[in-house]
């Protein structure tokens, strides 16, 4: 598992580490950023891979993470290979730890060279800039865990927001586990057991994917809820247990990863777990569980009545129209008829033909952008026609929103940011623009920006259950647990209709924090 799954209070689902903000790419476009990669170096030793990118100047870059499988994406602005470097020579030799793909993103204002590192489950990573080079290190997760476990303990005041519950049984379990962990390892194995056998067992755990902190436990007919409270202490994660979980357990394990011990217990008790952010939910296998809805990776947009009414004005009567315009209007009628039948491919064919005849009509361009974005999912086409509209009407915030969403879906982050800013510049700003901009910001880990946009939405249009949930979710991602809890309480008392499974999740979470 990777460190983004092991962070506690400040864990985020989409970890987005901006070394230089994505707006830097746009800002540096005018100065023609050029970063010549003169060489790359690879070193593989002791389950660690060191990869260096050596260039001609200080690199401007961003680091993002992707999941399923876990990937580290490094985008270097204005990067080009020098004479002695190619995509083939810059590769990492075949190994079981990491693989690399290199590509060019030439459709941005500033070209970007993208390095995508796909990590094995056993590996973690770090990225650092040193003068004119980038240093990427891929190393075993165990090293990161060891560094974390040997770090100075936080003072007692730092944990004040998590009040302890006195429980003699739980305290006894913790003391018993600590005593087992401090024993001489020789006493935990048979007299004839060799260190090689212990190493073999550790290798077996790692090979099976269990790499968490090791624990020793000795339970005898202990209530299962106390067992899970012990894991709460060990892992420092939120553990929510369904009310349908009950029973007692006897279990003795020595020097095993805690995630292995937890899986053993879940199998014994016929339970399942779901893990997200810094929270584990445990419930019977016979039940179903759903996490609260989150923003989808791709932004969506629904046509509003206002937009539909505006687009219907494309066909207007006038006695002074040229033959070309009249021909275009005939095509628009055909296009709208196909659109009413939800035959959008035929509709855009006629709209496109009409726009070729009547290219100075921004409403046709807007209609094409709408259909390509909303109904056909063709982001590039939507952006193209939105830009055509903006050439004729730079103040058209609907067109700016279409360009923003299409650019965001194509991962053109800097370009999308500019168009989103333009789409929300009105007074008042459009509802759709604020919500889409907030979703975009959250998807890219810009949590502070997300909160500001949600607050701006609330100031103009008031709170909704969806915006309140978004705010609580983002506060959780930022590690602001107390503020997130207050927001969840506000949701429960808001009077809004909440799905039963979501209401139960929030109720349990709030109870767990109090």
């Amino acid at each position: 598992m990777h460190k983004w799954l092991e962070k506690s209070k400040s864990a985020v689902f989409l970890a987005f580490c901006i070394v230089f903000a994505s707006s830097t790419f746009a800002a540096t476009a005018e100065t023609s950023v050029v970063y010549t990669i003169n060489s790359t170096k690879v070193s593989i030793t002791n389950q660690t891979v060191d990869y260096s990118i050596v260039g001609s100047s200080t690199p401007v870059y961003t680091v993002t993470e992707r999941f399923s499988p876990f990937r580290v994406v490094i985008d270097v602005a204005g990067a080009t290979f020098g004479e002695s470097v190619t995509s083939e020579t810059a590769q990492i030799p075949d190994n079981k730890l990491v693989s690399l793909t290199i590509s060019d993103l030439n459709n941005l204002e500033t070209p970007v060279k993208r390095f995508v590192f796909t990590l094995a489950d056993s590996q973690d990573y770090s990225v650092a800039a040193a003068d004119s080079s980038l240093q990427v290190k891929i190393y075993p997760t165990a090293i990161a865990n060891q560094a974390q476990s040997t770090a100075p303990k936080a003072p007692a005041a730092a944990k004040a927001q998590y009040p302890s519950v006195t429980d003699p049984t739980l305290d006894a379990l913790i003391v018993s586990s600590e005593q087992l962990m401090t024993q001489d390892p020789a006493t935990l194995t048979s007299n004839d057991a060799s260190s090689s056998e212990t190493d073999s067992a550790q290798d077996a755990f790692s090979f099976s994917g269990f790499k968490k902190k090791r624990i020793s436990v000795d339970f005898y007919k202990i209530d299962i809820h106390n067992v899970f409270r012990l894991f709460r202490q060990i892992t420092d994660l939120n553990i929510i247990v369904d009310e349908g979980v009950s029973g007692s357990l006897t279990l003795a394990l020595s020097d095993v990863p805690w995630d292995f011990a937890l899986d053993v217990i879940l199998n014994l008790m016929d339970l399942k777990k779901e893990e997200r952010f810094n929270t584990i939910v445990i419930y019977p296998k016979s039940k179903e569980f759903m996490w609260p809805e989150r923003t989808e990776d791709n932004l969506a947009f629904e046509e509003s009545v206002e937009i539909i009414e505006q687009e219907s004005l494309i066909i207007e009567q006038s006695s002074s129209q040229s033959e070309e315009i009249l021909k275009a209007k005939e095509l628009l009628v055909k296009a709208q008829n196909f659109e009413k039948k939800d035959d959008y491919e035929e509709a855009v064919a006629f709209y496109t033909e009409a726009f070729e005849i009547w290219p100075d009509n921004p409403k046709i361009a807007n209609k094409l952008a709408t259909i390509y974005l909303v109904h056909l999912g063709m982001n590039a086409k939507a952006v193209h026609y939105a830009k055509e509209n903006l050439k004729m009407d730079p103040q058209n915030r609907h067109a700016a929103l279409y360009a923003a969403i299409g650019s965001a879906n194509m991962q053109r982050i800097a370009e999308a940011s500019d168009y989103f800013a333009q789409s929300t510049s009105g007074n008042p700003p459009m509802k759709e623009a604020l919500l889409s901009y907030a979703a975009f910001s959250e998807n890219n880990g810009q949590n502070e920006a997300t909160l500001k946009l949600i607050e701006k939405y609330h100031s103009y249009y008031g709170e909704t259950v969806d915006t309140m949930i978004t705010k609580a979710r983002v506060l959780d991602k930022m590690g602001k647990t107390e503020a997130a809890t207050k927001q969840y309480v506000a949701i429960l008392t808001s009077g809004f209709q909440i799905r039963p499974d979501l209401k139960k999740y929030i109720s349990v979470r709030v109870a767990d924090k109090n």
Side-chain angles (χ1 to χ4, degrees), residues 190-467:
S190 62
N191 292 333
D192 59 348
S194 65
S195 59
S196 62
E197 289 175 331
T198 302
D199 293 341
S200 177
Q202 293 176 347
D203 290 343
F205 278 126
S206 297
F207 183 77
S208 300
F210 298 104
K211 308 176 191 302
K212 300 290 188 181
K213 177 182 176 181
R214 290 175 178 267
I215 62 171
S216 293
V217 293
D218 191 352
F219 304 147
Y220 178 73
K221 292 186 178 179
I222 296 298
D223 181 84
I224 189 65
H225 287 274
N226 275 330
V227 174
F228 291 134
R229 288 179 62 195
L230 171 63
F231 276 95
R232 168 72 177 91
Q233 295 285 343
I234 293 171
T235 65
D236 205 26
L237 297 175
N238 298 315
I239 296 183
I240 299 175
V241 183
D242 186 90
E243 61 185 6
V245 175
S246 62
S248 60
L249 179 70
T250 297
L251 181 67
L253 295 171
S254 296
D255 194 30
V256 298
W258 69 256
D259 52 339
F260 170 78
L262 180 60
D263 283 355
V264 169
I265 293 170
L266 295 178
N267 287 335
L268 286 174
M269 304 299 292
D270 201 30
L271 304 173
K272 293 194 295 186
K273 70 176 180 181
E274 295 287 342
E275 184 172 353
R276 184 180 292 187
F277 306 142
N278 59 336
T279 301
I280 297 176
V281 178
I282 296 172
Y283 59 101
K285 287 184 178 179
S286 58
K287 283 194 172 184
E288 294 295 330
F289 173 78
M290 292 180 60
W291 290 100
E293 292 182 357
R294 71 173 185 85
T295 306
E296 295 296 333
D297 288 339
N298 268 12
L299 303 179
F301 183 81
E302 297 294 335
E303 288 180 287
S304 67
V305 173
E306 177 187 358
I307 295 173
I308 294 173
E309 290 176 350
Q310 287 180 353
E311 301 306 335
S312 67
L313 298 177
I314 291 176
I315 302 175
E316 53 190 23
Q317 299 300 322
S318 174
S319 58
S320 60
Q321 299 290 334
S322 66
E323 290 186 9
E324 290 79 8
I325 300 301
L326 292 175
K327 173 62 175 176
K329 287 188 174 183
E330 291 178 6
L331 294 170
L332 293 175
V333 171
K334 294 179 181 179
Q336 289 186 339
N337 288 335
F338 279 110
E339 189 177 358
K340 290 176 183 178
K341 300 175 184 178
D342 295 336
D343 190 344
Y344 297 106
E345 292 184 354
E346 288 292 337
V348 294
F350 284 106
Y351 278 128
T352 300
E353 189 175 351
F355 187 60
E356 291 173 354
I357 297 174
W358 197 356
D360 57 348
N361 189 327
K363 292 179 180 179
I364 304 178
N366 226 34
K367 173 59 72 174
L368 283 164
T370 303
I371 294 178
Y372 277 121
L373 182 65
V374 178
H375 301 292
L376 298 180
M378 299 179 67
N379 296 302
K381 287 281 190 180
V383 171
H384 168 73
Y385 285 107
K387 288 181 177 179
E388 290 296 310
N389 189 320
L390 288 170
K391 289 178 183 177
M392 294 178 276
D393 183 8
Q395 303 304 316
N396 191 315
R397 294 191 297 276
H398 288 110
L401 179 58
Y402 301 151
I405 295 176
S407 298
N409 288 340
M410 291 189 290
Q411 297 299 307
R412 296 176 179 175
I413 306 303
E415 183 175 326
S417 297
D418 290 341
Y419 283 122
F420 271 124
Q422 184 177 350
S423 72
T424 56
S425 61
N427 188 17
M430 293 189 299
K431 287 183 178 181
E432 300 91 341
L434 287 173
L435 294 176
S436 296
Y437 198 0
F440 165 79
S441 299
E442 185 182 359
N443 283 346
N444 288 280
Q446 299 167 352
N447 295 320
E448 291 286 358
T450 305
L451 290 180
K452 289 180 181 178
L453 288 163
I454 291 298
E455 290 300 335
K456 190 173 184 179
Y457 181 95
H458 289 169
S459 68
Y460 282 101
Y461 303 108
E463 294 177 299
T464 70
V465 66
D466 291 329
T467 57

Side-chain angles (χ1 to χ4, degrees), residues 1-9 11 124 141-142 144-145 148 211-213 235-237 258 275 277-278:
M1 303 294 287
H2 304 284
K3 64 182 179 183
W4 52 272
L5 288 178
E6 296 189 53
K7 295 176 183 176
S8 52
K9 284 68 177 183
D124 213 328
T141 304
N145 291 341
Q148 185 175 13
K211 308 176 191 302
K212 300 290 188 181
K213 177 182 176 181
T235 65
D236 205 26
L237 297 175
W258 69 256
E275 184 172 353
F277 306 142
N278 59 336

Side-chain angles (χ1 to χ4, degrees), residues 36-296:
T36 303
I37 298 175
N38 297 320
S39 66
T40 60
K41 301 176 182 178
V42 184
S43 173
I44 304 177
T45 56
N46 297 327
Q47 302 298 303
T48 299
V49 178
D50 289 292
Y51 186 87
S52 299
I53 301 172
V54 182
S56 58
S57 58
T58 301
V60 176
Y61 67 101
T62 62
V63 181
T64 60
E65 294 179 355
R66 305 287 191 271
F67 309 101
S68 299
F70 183 70
R71 288 155 289 159
V72 179
V73 180
I74 302 177
D75 289 337
V76 185
T80 58
F81 284 137
E83 294 181 359
S84 61
V85 185
T86 65
S87 293
E88 289 73 25
T89 61
Q91 277 296 328
I92 297 176
D94 289 342
N95 64 89
K96 297 181 179 180
L97 308 176
V98 62
S99 61
L100 172 63
T101 58
I102 304 173
S103 60
D104 291 302
L105 306 182
N106 295 320
N107 51 2
L108 304 178
E109 293 181 8
T110 298
V112 168
K113 191 170 289 292
R114 172 167 289 181
F115 296 77
V116 181
F117 297 84
T118 302
L119 276 61
D121 288 341
S122 61
Q123 301 303 112
D124 213 328
Y125 78 97
S126 65
V127 180
D131 297 328
S132 61
S133 66
L134 279 175
Q135 308 292 332
V136 183
K137 180 180 286 291
I138 312 297
Y139 51 89
T141 304
I143 294 178
N145 291 341
Q146 182 180 9
Q148 185 175 13
S149 64
T150 57
K153 298 294 183 181
K159 294 190 177 181
Q161 60 179 317
Y162 297 97
S164 60
V165 179
T166 301
D167 187 314
T169 304
L170 178 61
D171 292 342
L173 284 173
I174 295 173
V175 171
S176 173
S177 299
E178 289 175 346
Q179 288 174 345
L180 284 169
M181 285 301 291
T182 56
Q183 289 182 26
D184 187 336
T187 65
L188 300 178
T189 59
S190 62
N191 292 333
D192 59 348
S194 65
S195 59
S196 62
E197 289 175 331
T198 302
D199 293 341
S200 177
Q202 293 176 347
D203 290 343
F205 278 126
S206 297
F207 183 77
S208 300
F210 298 104
K211 308 176 191 302
K212 300 290 188 181
K213 177 182 176 181
R214 290 175 178 267
I215 62 171
S216 293
V217 293
D218 191 352
F219 304 147
Y220 178 73
K221 292 186 178 179
I222 296 298
D223 181 84
I224 189 65
H225 287 274
N226 275 330
V227 174
F228 291 134
R229 288 179 62 195
L230 171 63
F231 276 95
R232 168 72 177 91
Q233 295 285 343
I234 293 171
T235 65
D236 205 26
L237 297 175
N238 298 315
I239 296 183
I240 299 175
V241 183
D242 186 90
E243 61 185 6
V245 175
S246 62
S248 60
L249 179 70
T250 297
L251 181 67
L253 295 171
S254 296
D255 194 30
V256 298
W258 69 256
D259 52 339
F260 170 78
L262 180 60
D263 283 355
V264 169
I265 293 170
L266 295 178
N267 287 335
L268 286 174
M269 304 299 292
D270 201 30
L271 304 173
K272 293 194 295 186
K273 70 176 180 181
E274 295 287 342
E275 184 172 353
R276 184 180 292 187
F277 306 142
N278 59 336
T279 301
I280 297 176
V281 178
I282 296 172
Y283 59 101
K285 287 184 178 179
S286 58
K287 283 194 172 184
E288 294 295 330
F289 173 78
M290 292 180 60
W291 290 100
E293 292 182 357
R294 71 173 185 85
T295 306
E296 295 296 333

